[in-house]
Amino acid sequence: QVQLVESGGGLVQPGGSLRLSCAASGIAFRIYTMGWYRQAPGKQRELVAQITSRMDANYAESVKGRFTISRDNAKNTVYLQMNDLKAEDTAVYYCKGRLVGPDYWGQGTQVTVSS
């Protein structure tokens, strides 16, 4: 059974930092492209960052220079370090695993940026 479990969300003030984690089980994690997506109320889900099995990373323009995606294949975990958070980063953040066949999604973790 495939499971992706996100953690690390919460309430943070503008300018603050959070680190999200996504622990995967039931997949050959090291060969998957892993991504972080987010969905704000009333908006479509959007790609935030993704990292391939070769450690190639790409980011949405809105988070470049502030967010960093990384992975630890020994722990089957992908991370999203988020710095200099802004109110517009408020959303539910989802982890996704992609190879061939169906994508696998986590249940999401809420990130709220507010003073």
Side-chain angles (χ1 to χ4, degrees):
Q1 182 181 357
V2 178
Q3 279 194 312
L4 300 179
V5 181
E6 301 98 334
S7 61
L11 173 65
V12 63
Q13 292 187 342
S17 298
L18 284 174
R19 188 176 84 152
L20 305 183
S21 300
C22 171
S25 59
I27 59 172
F29 179 82
R30 64 179 178 82
I31 64 174
Y32 271 67
T33 291
M34 300 301 298
W36 285 99
Y37 289 71
R38 67 186 180 187
Q39 188 166 19
K43 294 190 176 181
Q44 290 190 330
R45 192 173 296 189
E46 62 175 358
L47 174 67
V48 176
Q50 70 178 19
I51 185 166
T52 70
S53 59
R54 298 193 298 180
M55 303 295 187
D56 296 321
N58 63 281
Y59 299 89
E61 285 295 325
S62 60
V63 307
K64 279 184 180 177
R66 300 188 297 122
F67 291 11
T68 302
I69 190 170
S70 61
R71 64 191 297 162
D72 185 338
N73 290 337
K75 295 182 178 179
N76 286 2
T77 300
V78 60
Y79 304 97
L80 186 68
Q81 177 67 43
M82 305 186 294
N83 298 329
D84 189 23
L85 282 159
K86 306 177 187 298
E88 51 264 40
D89 296 317
T90 295
V92 179
Y93 284 71
Y94 298 90
C95 171
K96 187 183 89 168
R98 177 174 63 86
L99 188 60
V100 293
D103 295 335
Y104 297 109
W105 291 89
Q107 82 289 348
T109 186
Q110 176 70 47
V111 172
T112 302
V113 184
S114 175
S115 56

